[in-house]
Amino acid sequence: MMVDIFDFYDKMERNNIMLSFKGDITSELLTSILQIMENKLDNMQEEPKIKRKVYNVLVECLQNLYHHMDEIPSIGDGAEAEKKIRSAIFMIGKLDNQYNIITGNYIRSRNVEGLKTRLDEINKLSKEELKDYYKLVLNNGEMSDKGGGGLGMIDIARKTGQKLNYHFQPVDDNYSFFSLNIKIAQ
Amino acid sequence: MEKVIIEGTPKTPTINFDMIVGLLEIKGRSIPENSIEFYKPLVEHLERYAQKPQSNTNVNIQLEYFNTSSSKCILDVFKKLESIHKNGNQIVINWYYEQDDEDMLEAGEDYQAIINVPFKMIEVQE
């Protein structure tokens, strides 16, 4: 085994990770994750208000991955190199009375600037401005063929009342790794 | 004129559209990845209904959760209702939200600000 599983476990334990997943994000997987998380939130006897917020934001974060994660060429030679990998990572945990939802996925480097600009624009807006921007995009925006309406990130910022905390890590000439860390305070 | 019933699933709401009495109900959760596909039949039924609507149409929206992808489709449904209302027919959209669910109340108010149809915000006990 190449990974130190105890090290993995220890880090997840210290960050109080409730659920984590790495791999392809399918519709069936989302159904399962949402069901597991709903049961966990019920078992924790979380306040309905917090439970609803966490669930809503979780749906948007996961569906962002589902709609927008880019495939990357696999590492390997010959026939292996022809294959494409669809893979992303997702974690949810609760630390110091706040929920953390962390997602990570590959993105083509040429799309980094555009996404960064959008996120920075959303981060500049006040609560009221976010409400107006949401209504504007809802009413005038076109639905993309991926099914997203460009509303996901605005909705996350609105519901959490916090800035979108993101990071881009260059991977190679063509791809970067985009991570998003969303906090939901009690 | 007929009745349309679509049973709910963990990701899609129950839809009850009774064109004979003029009642449209959407209840449950609406969080499908592909919401256009899900809402397309309803939008088509509404287009047919719009040609010969009842003079009074009651709309009950009682959603526990909905994703942003559904929010566009729900707006499309409301726009169809708006055109029926514009043609001189009475329509009321009853927007139900659970007590303390400010996000759901706000979502209803967002639609109310965009759509020119009377809305009624109704708080229900959890």
Side-chain angles (χ1 to χ4, degrees):
Chain A
M1 192 74 179
M2 289 192 336
V3 293
D4 182 343
I5 197 72
F6 178 70
D7 185 48
F8 254 57
Y9 174 84
D10 192 47
K11 276 185 181 143
M12 287 175 81
E13 182 64 38
R14 271 186 284 137
N15 285 289
N16 222 343
I17 300 298
M18 298 158 71
L19 186 68
S20 112
F21 178 85
K22 181 218 140 278
D24 192 6
I25 306 289
T26 62
S27 174
E28 294 72 28
L29 180 87
L30 294 193
T31 309
S32 306
I33 288 179
L34 291 171
Q35 202 165 21
I36 292 168
M37 278 313 300
E38 192 167 22
N39 288 341
K40 278 183 186 270
L41 292 166
D42 279 339
N43 291 338
M44 289 161 75
Q45 297 191 316
E46 199 58 86
E47 253 184 83
K49 202 173 168 174
I50 298 296
K51 194 192 131 187
R52 278 191 299 252
K53 224 174 248 290
V54 171
Y55 191 88
N56 262 313
V57 173
L58 189 61
V59 168
E60 292 305 322
C61 287
L62 291 171
Q63 292 187 345
N64 266 342
L65 289 180
Y66 176 87
H67 289 296
H68 300 296
M69 63 195 261
D70 277 330
E71 291 181 333
I72 54 152
S74 81
I75 308 154
D77 310 315
E80 276 293 301
E82 299 293 305
K83 280 191 201 156
K84 297 274 190 197
I85 296 176
R86 258 182 73 87
S87 183
I89 190 163
F90 142 82
M91 285 182 198
I92 181 166
K94 190 185 183 187
L95 208 58
D96 302 328
N97 248 348
Q98 77 179 1
Y99 283 88
N100 289 287
I101 299 172
I102 304 162
T103 62
N105 61 284
Y106 286 103
I107 171 173
R108 284 189 187 81
S109 295
R110 63 166 189 266
N111 295 330
V112 167
E113 216 33 62
L115 178 56
K116 192 178 174 304
T117 308
R118 272 208 63 213
L119 297 174
D120 287 342
E121 269 168 19
I122 292 171
N123 279 343
K124 270 186 229 149
L125 302 178
S126 67
K127 191 175 184 284
E128 276 308 304
E129 286 168 332
L130 275 173
K131 188 184 171 79
D132 289 341
Y133 187 44
Y134 182 94
K135 278 189 281 191
L136 184 79
V137 177
L138 174 66
N139 202 11
N140 301 326
E142 283 294 308
M143 196 85 132
S144 79
D145 52 356
K146 284 182 172 175
L151 287 168
M153 292 292 186
I154 309 170
D155 189 58
I156 292 169
R158 220 179 143 186
K159 290 217 165 89
T160 60
Q162 303 205 30
K163 302 294 170 204
L164 302 166
N165 184 1
Y166 66 85
H167 181 71
F168 292 99
Q169 168 131 10
V171 177
D172 59 24
D173 290 347
N174 298 315
Y175 291 92
S176 296
F177 199 72
F178 167 59
S179 58
L180 190 64
N181 188 344
I182 300 298
K183 292 183 191 305
I184 304 159
Q186 293 279 60
Chain B
M1 289 295 161
E2 64 202 275
K3 281 188 192 183
V4 177
I5 294 170
I6 301 168
E7 290 293 336
T9 73
K11 278 186 183 165
T12 55
T14 297
I15 292 180
N16 172 21
F17 187 18
D18 187 334
M19 301 180 215
I20 304 157
V21 300
L23 176 72
L24 170 62
E25 291 184 310
I26 305 179
K27 287 183 177 180
R29 36 184 81 179
S30 183
I31 52 168
E33 286 82 29
N34 189 342
S35 48
I36 300 180
E37 191 182 276
F38 176 77
Y39 280 95
K40 201 170 166 243
L42 175 61
V43 171
E44 285 168 0
H45 287 306
L46 272 166
E47 274 166 5
R48 265 192 311 121
Y49 179 72
Q51 289 166 13
K52 220 183 156 195
Q54 303 299 333
S55 52
N56 263 298
T57 306
N58 271 300
V59 182
N60 296 325
I61 310 290
Q62 191 162 5
L63 291 168
E64 194 186 353
Y65 297 112
F66 69 94
N67 59 1
T68 52
S69 165
S70 297
S71 68
K72 291 231 169 192
C73 296
I74 294 168
L75 184 71
D76 285 343
V77 167
F78 288 169
K79 286 198 165 160
K80 293 275 170 264
L81 295 169
E82 187 179 42
S83 69
I84 296 170
H85 180 254
K86 212 174 149 188
N87 289 336
N89 304 287
Q90 287 208 19
I91 293 191
V92 176
I93 299 176
N94 298 302
W95 183 270
Y96 292 86
Y97 65 99
E98 279 185 12
Q99 193 186 16
D100 291 341
D101 192 351
E102 285 156 26
D103 290 335
M104 192 57 79
L105 172 61
E106 268 198 49
E109 288 168 351
D110 288 348
Y111 286 119
Q112 190 174 23
I114 297 172
I115 298 294
N116 195 13
V117 171
F119 272 70
K120 225 163 113 184
M121 302 295 165
I122 300 169
E123 188 184 85
V124 289
Q125 301 294 315
E126 276 160 31

